Every structure is written in structure tokens, then in C-alpha cells.
Amino acid sequence: MSKFLTEEWAKEVTAALNSHEGFKNAMGAADLGIQFNTDDGPDGDVDYYLKSSGGTSNVAIGELDDADVTVKQSYDTATAISKGDLNTQTAFMTGKLKVSGNLAKLMMHQAAIQQWGAAVSDLDVDY
């Protein structure tokens, strides 16, 4: 079991994304960087990112210098999305996610974002 928004969690998410056929097929060889800024967590604010390029994806704690998109969210929203209790489209439409940057590029990869949830659904995460 890994604690949500830790280095161990990021490594497990990376492995899950890279081994999930649905995510890999939806992402393809696309070059995409998404920065996530999460506020109000039990351990304070946590930044993490997804960087996908050449058919490989990496999730890591920290900041991505050349992110295409930045997503701001509360810890509660991030937790609900991670658990599958809230989908990203609903979170965005209700203002729980604030997105900035290249929205067109993000929308081009909507299928991969949706597959992310399926890819990580079996991870044992401590919230």
C-alpha cells in the first residue's frame, strides 16, 4: 500500500500506466506534460506531474518545467478522482479543477486521461 501523493505512489502509478493497454493505446507516442498542483493536503500542498513521450509515461512528485497544461485542485478533489468517485469532466465543469495552458492539446488526449482511472483502479492507496 502506498500513501497518496508520495514518491512511492507516483512510482506505482507510473508502472500501472505503462502496463495498461487502454492507457498506452490512447496515449500512443504523444508528447504531453501535465502539471498537477494539489492544495490543502494532510501534509500540505503537493505538486506532481505526468510526462508522456515516445510511448512511455512517468508520474513524479515535483514540478515539470515545460508542462503543456497545469491543473489546480484541492486534496479532496484529487482524492475523489483517484478513488473513482468523481470523474475529471465533472470536476472541471463544477469548478473543482482549474485548468490552464494548452487546453486543445489536453482535449486531444481526453481518452488517455479517462483511461488513467482504469489503469490505477487496482492500486492499493492509503488516503
Side-chain angles (χ1 to χ4, degrees):
M1 177 181 294
S2 62
K3 187 171 185 203
F4 189 49
L5 301 183
T6 63
E7 294 283 350
E8 181 183 3
W9 167 84
K11 287 178 186 173
E12 289 182 10
V13 172
T14 296
L17 294 178
N18 287 312
S19 65
H20 188 269
E21 288 304 315
F23 179 84
K24 287 180 5 181
N25 290 337
M27 185 59 77
D31 183 21
L32 178 66
I34 305 174
Q35 176 70 52
F36 297 90
N37 299 330
T38 307
D39 300 330
D40 303 324
D43 298 321
D45 298 347
V46 177
D47 297 334
Y48 65 100
Y49 62 87
L50 165 74
K51 178 65 177 169
S52 186
S53 182
T56 303
S57 296
N58 182 48
V59 174
I61 302 298
E63 292 195 26
L64 181 62
D65 291 334
D66 58 347
D68 297 299
V69 177
T70 299
V71 177
K72 294 182 186 264
Q73 61 191 349
S74 70
Y75 178 83
D76 289 343
T77 297
T79 299
I81 291 170
S82 179
K83 288 180 175 180
D85 296 338
L86 177 65
N87 74 44
T88 55
Q89 290 175 330
T90 300
F92 177 75
M93 297 301 283
T94 58
K96 294 182 178 187
L97 291 179
K98 306 288 187 212
V99 183
S100 60
N102 189 339
L103 299 181
K105 190 168 186 179
L106 180 65
M107 294 308 291
M108 286 173 40
H109 303 293
Q110 187 67 27
I113 303 304
Q114 291 172 344
Q115 286 293 319
W116 180 323
V120 301
S121 63
D122 291 336
L123 294 182
D124 194 9
V125 179
D126 176 21
Y127 297 94

